[in-house]
Amino acid sequence: MPARLKPPADKPYVIMLVGVNGSGKTTTIGKLAYRFSRENARVLLGAGDTFRAGAIEQLGVWAERTGGADFIAHKAGSDPAAVAYDAINAAKARGGSDVLILDTAGRLQTKVNLMAELGKVHRVVQRELGRDLDEILLVVDATTGQNALSQGKRFQEAVPLTGLVLTKLDGTAKGGIVLALADELNLAVKLVGVGEQYEDLQDFDPPRAFVAALFGGSNRQ
Ligand SMILES: Nc1nc2c(ncn2[C@@H]2O[C@H](COP(=O)(O)OP(=O)(O)O)[C@@H](O)[C@H]2O)c(=O)[nH]1
Ligand SMILES: [Mg+2]
């Protein structure tokens, strides 16, 4: 259980990842599944990206690699809310899952209909679960510039975000924008991606020097 995530109360513990294309949602899900599976949690992955070619298979590969997470998918092009519905109900079934992680299609924050679709997926999950999701994480690529602020605001309007994931920090000394974003949205950075392998996910617990380095400044404090 990553230390910065909300402690589990009810089963299933439900996490949904959202963000623009290529930010690292599916990879982060693989890493999270690996982490939960290592703690002997029974993990179910919901293939909510029904839009991008290959996205369902990509998640399926992660499910296998991480030691047999269960996997719920519909056909490519199908309604992501229907996938979410089935995933929640499979997770809730007797003998169901400890953890459900829902993937979503990447979407530009400027596409109003896609943001509305995300809102619909969220409402279906909430309704079927009978409570709020445990975590709704916005995944942000560390190399993103000022655009991260507009991404964050629009995603927060569409769904109640609970935290941020900063990915690709291995490839850049940037990433400072996410701290401005965290401040703007009043959300914590909870996880950091530092590579493409399933071990490459860290809890975000930065020493001051690290924060200063991210801002590109000195660490005189
Ligand atoms: N170097 C590096 N690459 C990453 C990281 N997270 C994701 N990626 C890569 O970024 C690309 C897009 O990731 P993906 O998970 O498919 O993004 P999605 O579209 O948001 O689901 C893939 O090539 C991943 O391997 C990371 O933390 N570090
Ligand atoms: Mg994806």
Side-chain angles (χ1 to χ4, degrees):
M1 179 82 205
R4 304 292 308 276
L5 297 188
K6 183 177 165 234
D10 285 329
K11 262 171 65 166
Y13 185 86
V14 180
I15 309 175
M16 182 163 81
L17 282 84
V18 302
V20 300
N21 276 315
S23 57
K25 294 176 293 299
T26 306
T27 307
T28 302
I29 289 172
K31 295 170 180 177
L32 279 169
Y34 171 73
R35 192 125 160 205
F36 281 111
S37 298
R38 281 194 44 172
E39 295 168 18
N40 296 318
R42 190 153 169 205
V43 180
L44 175 67
L45 305 183
D49 183 356
T50 59
F51 184 72
R52 190 176 61 79
I56 297 170
E57 293 74 13
Q58 184 191 4
L59 192 67
V61 168
W62 275 113
E64 275 173 31
R65 263 200 244 165
T66 52
D70 296 316
F71 180 59
I72 292 264
H74 288 188
K75 289 199 308 282
S78 59
D79 179 3
V83 178
Y85 178 94
D86 279 358
I88 284 284
N89 284 294
K92 284 197 319 191
R94 187 185 290 268
S97 318
D98 299 308
V99 180
L100 168 62
I101 313 179
L102 289 170
D103 200 4
T104 59
R107 63 199 76 221
L108 274 177
Q109 73 274 17
T110 49
K111 296 277 192 244
V112 175
N113 55 335
L114 292 181
M115 297 309 280
E117 178 192 82
L118 191 60
K120 179 179 164 203
V121 170
H122 171 249
R123 282 192 300 280
V124 166
V125 174
Q126 210 180 25
R127 188 188 68 213
E128 293 307 306
L129 198 57
R131 59 175 168 86
D132 288 334
L133 287 69
D134 296 281
E135 295 279 359
I136 303 176
L137 302 173
L138 176 67
V139 181
V140 180
D141 180 331
T143 61
T144 313
Q146 288 294 325
N147 188 257
L149 293 175
S150 122
Q151 283 176 23
K153 283 186 210 155
R154 294 290 172 80
F155 274 95
Q156 200 174 41
E157 282 161 18
V159 289
L161 300 175
T162 62
L164 303 172
V165 179
L166 181 62
T167 58
K168 311 188 193 181
L169 204 58
D170 50 306
T172 178
K174 294 185 187 152
I177 191 70
V178 87
L179 298 176
L181 180 61
D183 194 43
E184 173 84 28
L185 302 183
N186 197 22
L187 291 172
V189 180
K190 298 195 169 180
L191 296 163
V192 174
V194 291
E196 298 184 88
Q197 303 305 315
Y198 49 70
E199 306 94 339
D200 298 333
L201 186 70
Q202 298 178 356
D203 297 323
F204 188 66
D205 191 13
R208 295 180 80 96
F210 177 68
V211 174
L214 269 181
F215 274 121
S218 73
N219 57 10
R220 279 179 293 127
Q221 307 263 351

